[in-house]
Amino acid sequence: MPDILIVEDNQVNQKLIAFLLARAGFTYDRAENGAVALQKLAAEPYRLVLMDIMMPVMNGYDATRAIRNDPRLKDLPIVALTANAMRGEEERCRAVGCNDFIAKPYSKDVVLATIARLIEPPAAQAAPTA
Ligand code: MN
């Protein structure tokens, strides 16, 4: 079971986030828009969703609303990722049900700190015996 679903239409951003998560020990899966994300969320459990907002087919607002309307997914942590620095953007993301918000361009530290506020870290690797 992957820890995190990366929902992001931009391939470069998708790869950057995937790399960052893998380095931090999280497993992940990817979806290129909100509709694909809903299919994946229906098929298996995830611990957290990183949700881009501007995407073709189904955007992050609509995908988040759909998740919150699903009794099985209503408590799933969702972090919005958006390049849109428009005033009110964070409030708009929170209003549709996102738990937290990260503005692009984001730093590795901000992404990991935000995730750490919502879910437990990946299972610790067995410490090497000295
Ligand atoms: Mn996008």
Side-chain angles (χ1 to χ4, degrees):
M1 181 215 314
D3 294 310
I4 296 177
L5 182 60
I6 304 166
V7 188
E8 167 67 77
D9 62 309
N10 180 294
Q11 294 286 319
V12 174
N13 289 343
Q14 216 185 70
K15 287 195 177 115
L16 286 171
I17 298 169
F19 180 74
L20 187 164
L21 294 179
R23 287 290 297 271
F26 289 104
T27 55
Y28 61 86
D29 194 1
R30 310 185 229 187
E32 66 268 29
N33 63 58
V36 174
L38 293 179
Q39 287 169 10
K40 289 188 179 257
L41 290 167
E44 68 178 321
Y46 293 85
R47 299 172 61 207
L48 181 140
V49 176
L50 291 176
M51 182 72 80
D52 182 32
I53 294 299
M54 296 303 150
M55 295 182 289
V57 184
M58 181 187 279
N59 67 36
Y61 302 122
D62 291 342
T64 299
R65 281 193 203 96
I67 290 168
R68 291 298 176 239
N69 284 331
D70 183 334
R72 294 164 305 172
L73 300 174
K74 66 180 175 46
D75 297 323
L76 178 67
I78 303 174
V79 176
L81 300 174
T82 178
N84 194 339
M86 225 165 42
R87 269 173 101 117
E89 184 62 18
E90 176 168 1
E91 289 70 19
R92 200 173 167 199
C93 290
R94 290 183 186 277
V96 297
C98 294
N99 300 80
D100 215 326
F101 171 92
I102 298 172
K104 298 176 186 176
Y106 37 75
S107 74
K108 165 179 172 287
D109 290 347
V110 168
V111 172
L112 294 179
T114 303
I115 292 171
R117 285 198 294 271
L118 293 163
I119 62 172
E120 293 295 315
Q125 302 298 313
T129 48

